[in-house]
Amino acid sequence: MSDWDISAYQDIVDTMQARRQDLLAEAERLVAHLPLKYLRQQAQFTTPASNYDMLLKAVEGGQKATPKILDKFGISIRELADTIEVPESVIEETLAAPDPRAPFVMVDGEDAQALRDDVVARGRLNAVKIFREANWAHTLRFYRPSGLSLDYCIEDLVIVLTQAAKDKDPADFPIDGIVWPKVEHPEQIRMVSDLLGELEHRLGLPENRIKMEFLVESGWAASQLPLIVREVMPRIAGIIWGIADYSADINLPHIINDHPVCDWVRMVIINMAGALGVPAIDNMTVNYPVADKSLDEKANHDHILARLKEVYDDAAHGQALGMGGKWVGHPAQLFMVRLAYRVALPENEIAQEVSKIEAYVKAVEAEQGATIIDGVMSDRATDRHARNKLRTAIAIGHLDANKGIELGLITKDEAAELGL
């Protein structure tokens, strides 16, 4: 090979290198590159825009009411721990979290409120007020307008987004994004993204500043998901599974969380969201942990405990498949979902992943590629998996940001953005 001259083939090399660069650029366009704060979506708290008191409790209270709910129904920490098979210490730690707020709140101007002109108008006013005036802290701020089939949908977006921005510097725009319901076809989501682009231009916002998540809740959406997401790049921040509307759309006999068809849709969403680098968000558990007036005190105790276990089990089921978060609509649901995601990434596992990364860095420095760490094959793929997991751990506060900077998991700018 030493006397071989590539110059005779240089034209082929140059042509294919140019094509290679084009292909890499196109692949890069199909990755979201989300700011780290968007990995904080373990629980999305949805609450109706038409009720301002409920909005305020969701935004500023979060899971704060959970201890009172447990006490009201006589549910002890030990009993809850035994029921869901989680150590009491982990439950107590999650209950005592310094910030009870949800990581994500969706102000719902669609299904959660009545379809009446006066209710819709009140919902818009409440949405603007809550975005402008509430103490959101680090909670992600999202709005869901009416869907495409309702005449309200365009005005919902124009009114809420522009009025929320009124007299504010673009840097202080108080909404992170929208959740678009009932998407079915690619051209529909393109229309919404184009509308957001026009509003960004009018409001002086950076391009793609208003993020978008959408619900997969129809047969068409599930079957066309790759085409749909191409129309919303790079604005996309998550993909959400809507089990109730989907079950109605394809005529499932019952709304069952772990139905094989529903798990198939979850897997489609997880695969697509993972390819884009955004969280996949699981559906809401529709059975809320609220009292049944027909039951006596003892029966309601058992009823609430069963509902808490149900949402915990549903969250654990989705997380094990690869979901990055779950919808909730009640403070105790918020707590149980956060607990499930905390249990799924315990401190000892985080420490193991850190050790893997450190050992692999040393292996690379020793000019090794694939190596064996604690009896397990380790290479660039396993290192990438560990790094992705730990970026999420940093985002949700389970790994120190300084350690993340040291390992090259996050940058100093990303840490500053999270307030760490």
Side-chain angles (χ1 to χ4, degrees), residues 214-225 239-247 249-250 252 256-273 280-283 317 321 323:
F214 62 86
L215 283 135
V216 175
E217 44 192 342
S218 70
W220 271 119
S223 63
Q224 298 190 102
L225 195 51
I239 305 175
I240 306 166
W241 165 221
I243 194 172
D245 273 304
Y246 179 86
S247 298
D249 189 65
I250 69 163
L252 289 182
I256 300 173
N257 189 72
D258 58 352
H259 189 287
V261 173
C262 295
D263 271 354
W264 168 77
V265 180
R266 283 190 181 91
M267 293 171 191
V268 169
I269 292 171
I270 289 163
N271 183 74
M272 192 74 262
I281 307 300
D282 211 352
N283 62 281
H317 175 78
L321 289 176
M323 286 287 179

Side-chain angles (χ1 to χ4, degrees), residues 9-183:
Y9 301 92
Q10 194 63 49
D11 58 331
I12 297 176
V13 171
D14 291 345
T15 298
M16 291 303 162
Q17 283 285 22
R19 288 181 61 181
R20 170 178 166 271
Q21 292 300 325
D22 289 343
L23 290 171
L24 289 173
E26 176 62 14
E28 189 73 3
R29 191 185 72 79
L30 295 175
V31 178
H33 300 293
L34 284 176
L36 202 60
K37 67 181 182 179
Y38 288 98
L39 299 184
R40 289 176 167 171
Q41 298 192 51
Q42 283 64 41
Q44 294 190 352
F45 200 159
T46 172
T47 189
S50 55
N51 188 321
Y52 189 80
D53 289 342
M54 289 180 66
L55 284 174
L56 197 60
K57 288 178 181 178
V59 172
E60 297 186 356
Q63 69 179 36
K64 187 186 294 184
T66 303
K68 291 182 179 179
I69 294 169
L70 296 178
D71 184 62
K72 177 180 179 180
F73 294 101
I75 299 171
S76 68
I77 300 298
R78 174 174 292 182
E79 187 176 21
L80 182 60
D82 290 343
T83 300
I84 63 175
E85 300 180 350
V86 169
E88 289 181 54
S89 60
V90 178
I91 295 176
E92 290 170 344
E93 177 189 333
T94 308
L95 272 177
D99 189 351
R101 291 175 178 83
F104 179 118
V105 169
M106 185 189 79
V107 177
D108 191 357
E110 196 223 9
D111 280 352
Q113 63 181 22
L115 286 178
R116 259 181 21 204
D117 289 352
D118 60 329
V119 176
V120 171
R122 184 169 69 248
R124 291 169 179 167
L125 290 174
N126 287 343
V128 171
K129 183 178 180 181
I130 201 74
F131 285 126
R132 289 175 63 90
E133 299 180 7
N135 178 9
W136 287 81
H138 296 299
T139 298
L140 290 168
R141 307 155 296 178
F142 273 69
Y143 172 66
R144 178 166 73 162
S146 306
L148 189 71
S149 64
L150 298 175
D151 292 341
Y152 305 113
C153 66
I154 304 300
E155 289 185 357
D156 279 350
L157 283 175
V158 173
I159 291 172
V160 171
L161 295 179
T162 60
Q163 293 306 297
K166 188 176 180 181
D167 300 325
K168 285 187 175 289
D169 187 281
D172 297 323
F173 183 64
I175 300 175
D176 292 304
I178 72 160
V179 173
W180 185 254
K182 297 178 177 60
V183 64

